[in-house]
Amino acid sequence: AVVSTQSTGGSYKPLASLTEHFNIKPDKSIELSFEGTRVCENYPTTLTVELTCKPGAIETPPRLISDDPCDYLAVWQSAYACPSHSIIGQQCRLQDQVTGLSFDLSDLGGQTHDITLSSGLS
């Protein structure tokens, strides 16, 4: 994974690449570490992105918290960072309390449907 910036002309400039590790913190947030393409004080710049659970947040952008010239910190709040959970519905209707999404599958009742699973799913 690469972090890039977009210029006003529309071109992208790579800023940092994901290092080979991530960290799950005690509060269950996920910390991704990126190493920059620019050198600062004889070391590559770093970017740390902290993914935190925020129920209902589906299309939220990351927020820059610290813009130290050599080390950047961003927080990205998203429902997708929340722990996995099961959803049990009634009468073919589901409501996901974490993401805020609703699913009405009642139109599929009484029919047979073929389902193909992607590799890695069971």
Side-chain angles (χ1 to χ4, degrees), residues 8-113:
T8 53
S11 63
Y12 290 91
K13 177 182 178 183
L15 290 180
S17 298
L18 183 64
T19 58
E20 292 188 22
H21 70 276
F22 65 91
N23 183 32
I24 298 176
K25 296 172 64 172
D27 66 358
K28 303 297 183 204
S29 63
I30 300 167
E31 202 172 69
L32 301 173
S33 298
F34 294 84
E35 189 171 278
T37 56
R38 188 171 53 91
V39 175
C40 182
E41 298 177 9
N42 296 323
Y43 295 98
T45 55
T46 62
L47 166 64
T48 301
V49 178
E50 187 175 301
L51 303 168
T52 60
C53 173
K54 184 174 183 184
I58 301 297
E59 295 182 22
T60 57
R63 221 170 10 109
L64 188 63
I65 301 298
S66 166
D67 60 353
D68 176 278
C70 299
D71 300 304
Y72 298 88
L73 172 63
V75 173
W76 198 339
Q77 296 179 319
S78 172
Y80 299 114
C82 296
S84 296
H85 62 284
S86 297
I87 305 169
I88 299 173
Q90 295 179 346
Q91 300 175 353
C92 296
R93 290 177 178 82
L94 305 170
Q95 173 73 38
D96 187 336
Q97 299 300 319
V98 173
T99 63
L101 298 174
S102 296
F103 304 94
D104 183 350
L105 306 174
S106 58
D107 289 343
L108 302 175
Q111 303 173 25
T112 301
H113 300 278

